[in-house]
Amino acid sequence: AEYTFTILFTMEMVVKIVARGFIMHKHAYLRDSWNWIDFVVVLASLISLRSSGSSIQVLRTIRVLRPLRTMTRIKGMQPLINTILRSFKNLGN
């Protein structure tokens, strides 16, 4: 299942980057804050699949964001997710 989700999320990310551009255009992929979550999750998944060892354990932890990434597709969930992310930011202070 891990490989399947990583492949599907990677393909989706590549299609979006090809369609919108990566960062330089007005509507580019990384100009959307929600796509940053996708980018980090996909990148961490790809690195953790290629690597092994305890130093990569942190990247495996980032994969916990996969359900959050999936929930960002539901428009009604975005305000809730924004609130949760702001709460985590405030907890760090």
Side-chain angles (χ1 to χ4, degrees), residues 77-89:
M77 294 297 289
Q78 288 182 356
L80 175 64
I81 294 168
N82 283 333
T83 302
I84 291 170
L85 292 176
R86 272 188 257 121
S87 298
F88 282 125
K89 181 180 171 185

Side-chain angles (χ1 to χ4, degrees), residues 35-48:
N35 286 337
W36 273 97
I37 294 172
D38 297 349
F39 182 73
V40 169
V41 169
V42 168
L43 193 63
S45 296
L46 291 172
I47 292 170
S48 68

Side-chain angles (χ1 to χ4, degrees), residues 43-92:
L43 193 63
S45 296
L46 291 172
I47 292 170
S48 68
L49 286 178
R50 293 190 45 90
S51 305
S52 62
S54 61
S55 62
I56 304 300
Q57 194 65 27
V58 173
L59 294 175
R60 290 188 179 138
T61 305
I62 292 174
R63 289 185 304 187
V64 171
L65 293 174
R66 278 185 183 161
L68 178 63
R69 183 206 175 277
T70 305
M71 288 174 29
T72 62
R73 301 293 181 244
I74 304 169
K75 294 292 182 193
M77 294 297 289
Q78 288 182 356
L80 175 64
I81 294 168
N82 283 333
T83 302
I84 291 170
L85 292 176
R86 272 188 257 121
S87 298
F88 282 125
K89 181 180 171 185
N90 291 334
L91 286 174

Side-chain angles (χ1 to χ4, degrees), residues 4-24:
T4 304
F5 282 113
T6 300
I7 290 169
L8 289 174
F9 290 157
T10 303
M11 288 174 30
E12 178 190 13
M13 183 180 77
V14 169
V15 168
K16 283 184 173 182
I17 290 171
V18 168
R20 295 178 169 188
F22 188 61
I23 198 165
M24 299 302 285

